[in-house]
Amino acid sequence: FFIHTNSSNYFLYKYEEGKKKETEEAVSNMILQDHPKDEVEFTYMDDVYQEFFKSENALLKILTVTTIVCIIISISGVYSMVTLICARRRKEIAIRKVNGAGFRTILYSLLYEYVVLLGIASIISFSIGYIIMSGWIEYYIKQTDINWWIYLLIFLGILFIVSVTVFSQVWKAANTNPAKVLKSE
């Protein structure tokens, strides 16, 4: 359709996917037939939207860097906590090993504690995150869904990190000689 203002004329049109150049040429030819002295300039809504979302894109970059730093800190925190608990429980692990407990039994007993803690933390944090994100998304005209699989993917990623860390620390503690551990304590 056609919009007329005092200083210039604007045409708004929609083109089919893949026919952008052809549509530009056709619109340009139509305008130049009626107004040969005028200059034809195209502005795209995608560019206008990008201009509007500059601050959102900057915020996204800041949040991405902050998220990566938080994940690294969290991973090192989980690793440190598991290492500390295994060091404190070396005597218990040694006694279990002497009494016939296998690697799997020791691993499951320590891993179970972390899975329970992870489950409780996930329920609390995912609920709070969903409430905050739902409120934030309501301010936008174009909205996206908050899919459940994102939370599952996050949970499985954290579970993997915790499992690998616990496995490595229990492996290290279970493969030490229990007699040396019991003598030193």
Side-chain angles (χ1 to χ4, degrees):
F1 63 89
F2 176 81
I3 301 171
H4 178 71
T5 62
N6 293 339
S7 59
S8 54
N9 296 323
Y10 295 96
F11 294 93
L12 181 65
Y13 66 92
K14 184 176 181 179
Y15 59 90
E16 286 184 34
E17 198 69 35
K19 295 188 177 185
K20 180 178 176 182
K21 271 286 195 223
E22 297 155 356
T23 308
E24 277 182 11
E25 290 174 6
V27 169
S28 208
N29 290 337
M30 285 181 358
I31 293 171
L32 291 175
Q33 282 177 359
D34 294 337
H35 308 282
K37 296 179 184 179
D38 288 347
E39 184 178 318
V40 179
E41 183 179 324
F42 293 95
T43 305
Y44 300 99
M45 290 307 294
D46 291 338
D47 298 335
V48 174
Y49 287 143
Q50 286 300 325
E51 189 66 31
F52 287 141
F53 288 123
K54 264 187 184 176
S55 63
E56 294 295 325
N57 290 335
L59 177 65
L60 178 66
K61 288 178 184 176
I62 291 170
L63 287 176
T64 302
V65 170
T66 306
T67 301
I68 290 170
V69 169
C70 288
I71 289 171
I72 291 170
I73 290 170
S74 298
I75 291 170
S76 61
V78 167
Y79 181 80
S80 300
M81 188 174 73
V82 170
T83 304
L84 177 66
I85 288 174
C86 283
R88 285 185 179 173
R89 296 176 77 176
R90 281 178 60 174
K91 190 173 183 179
E92 176 192 339
I93 293 171
I95 292 171
R96 284 180 184 231
K97 192 172 177 185
V98 167
N99 288 331
F103 173 74
R104 283 186 179 170
T105 308
I106 297 169
L107 178 66
Y108 289 146
S109 68
L110 290 176
L111 191 59
Y112 178 76
E113 296 174 21
Y114 290 107
V115 171
V116 169
L117 289 174
L118 179 62
I120 293 168
S122 295
I123 289 170
I124 293 169
S125 63
F126 292 166
S127 300
I128 292 171
Y130 181 80
I131 291 167
I132 290 171
M133 290 302 294
S134 295
W136 185 46
I137 288 176
E138 285 179 7
Y139 290 107
Y140 293 98
I141 294 171
K142 286 187 175 182
Q143 296 182 0
T144 185
D145 294 330
I146 302 173
N147 296 319
W148 62 271
W149 60 265
I150 294 172
Y151 294 109
L152 179 65
L153 188 67
I154 293 169
F155 179 79
L156 292 176
I158 296 170
L159 182 64
F160 175 76
I161 292 167
V162 167
S163 299
V164 168
T165 307
V166 169
F167 179 82
S168 67
Q169 291 303 313
V170 170
W171 180 263
K172 184 177 166 184
N175 285 330
T176 58
N177 188 355
K180 287 182 182 180
V181 173
L182 292 175
K183 279 183 185 179
S184 66
E185 299 260 340

